[in-house]
Amino acid sequence: MSTPLLVQALAVLSAPALAGATVLGLRLRRGRAEAAAREHRLRERVAELEGRCAELERTASCDPLTGVWNYRHLQLTLDREIERARRAERAEQPEGPRPLAVLLLEIAGFEAVVAEHGRARAGAILRDLAQRLAMEIRRADTLGRYSGEEFLVVLPDTGAEGAAQVAERLVWSVRRHLLLDWSSGTREPRPAQGNGLTAAVGVAVLPEDGTHAAVLLRAADRALAEARAAGGDCWRASPHHQGTRPPSTPSQPPTSGTEHGPTAEDDCSGKPGSLSPCAGGDPLSQPVASHTPATVAGPRDVRS
């Protein structure tokens, strides 16, 4: 067979192969484009599901009325911090076991707020007050709504002295907090004797008052009952710690402790997470972002 004929025969035979290769290449490119589009859609779906999961987790841990942590999250946090303290004690660290304090705070006088403003506005006042209290603790601490007008504060690495300082600040903040005002005219000046609300606080410290959550809470509840019986507007510690420093009285201003930094009366920084600036300013003059537990009341390692 001559060379021209051979070339022609090869061309005839290779034409279908070339056409098939072209079609295959087009299909491969189309398949890669479709795969990339599917991967993009899947990534978007995963991001959407992660966002929904984070929102559900936040909602499950957040009290819907006040915006601070709820009872479930408080229980989980308290159990985790107690376990951390136990591990440190078992490890026999040179600095000793990790201290842990819990404060049980009850607000009195809220019935008058409900009677004057109604339950809807009273709920807004309670939310504003709860987030004001969240400004008085460290980011590593946890403040949440325990029940009704009761709040629980978990203070890791805090002993009796530091817990007393925080209790004083919280009592003072409740007494002096400037309540929300919905009037369109000039704001009324802050009453000289406070806003009509008072707080009673019970303090319990691990390990002196117990090494289990239920025992610590019972000790804090007994101390709260003593503060309530004393007329409120004060804090009481368990019998193990009542000799460390005298309980606060309504005439005492809060002290600025080294364990928990300056009080909000001293530090007017307008920390994010509060619905109002520091005490003495107008809580409606500087609206800030809505509170989420991840930025206000939760511990650093929880964000959580």
Side-chain angles (χ1 to χ4, degrees), residues 51-212:
R52 290 184 179 181
C53 183
E55 179 65 19
L56 288 174
E57 183 178 357
R58 186 194 67 81
T59 303
S61 300
C62 179
D63 178 63
L65 177 62
T66 61
V68 296
W69 298 117
N70 60 13
Y71 180 84
R72 171 182 175 272
H73 184 82
L74 288 172
Q75 290 286 349
L76 294 175
T77 301
L78 183 57
D79 290 340
R80 182 183 63 252
E81 294 299 337
I82 289 176
E83 181 58 30
R84 288 177 60 189
R86 287 176 176 174
R87 286 200 303 267
E89 185 176 9
R90 288 194 297 265
E92 297 181 353
Q93 296 183 359
E95 61 273 17
R98 298 169 62 97
L100 174 67
V102 295
L103 309 181
L104 193 56
L105 179 147
E106 182 182 57
I107 300 175
F110 217 78
E111 297 81 1
V113 177
V114 175
E116 180 180 355
H117 298 287
R119 293 194 175 275
R121 288 184 172 180
I125 291 175
L126 183 63
R127 176 184 176 90
D128 182 58
L129 180 56
Q131 298 196 25
R132 177 69 172 84
L133 294 177
M135 295 175 61
E136 295 294 340
I137 63 175
R138 305 167 302 181
R139 291 179 59 88
D141 302 332
T142 302
L143 179 143
R145 190 183 183 196
Y146 196 65
S147 66
E149 285 83 49
E150 286 188 347
F151 295 86
L152 182 69
V153 187
V154 181
L155 306 174
D157 301 313
T158 303
E161 187 71 16
Q165 296 170 3
V166 178
E168 288 180 357
R169 295 208 303 270
L170 296 181
V171 169
W172 180 263
S173 295
V174 171
R175 183 193 317 130
R176 301 297 297 165
H177 182 59
L178 189 61
L179 301 183
L180 292 173
D181 183 13
W182 289 272
S183 62
S184 58
T186 306
R187 289 190 65 112
E188 293 294 332
R190 184 195 307 221
Q193 300 301 322
N195 52 28
L197 300 180
T198 58
V201 181
V203 180
V205 179
L206 181 147
E208 292 86 346
D209 297 316
T211 56
H212 297 275

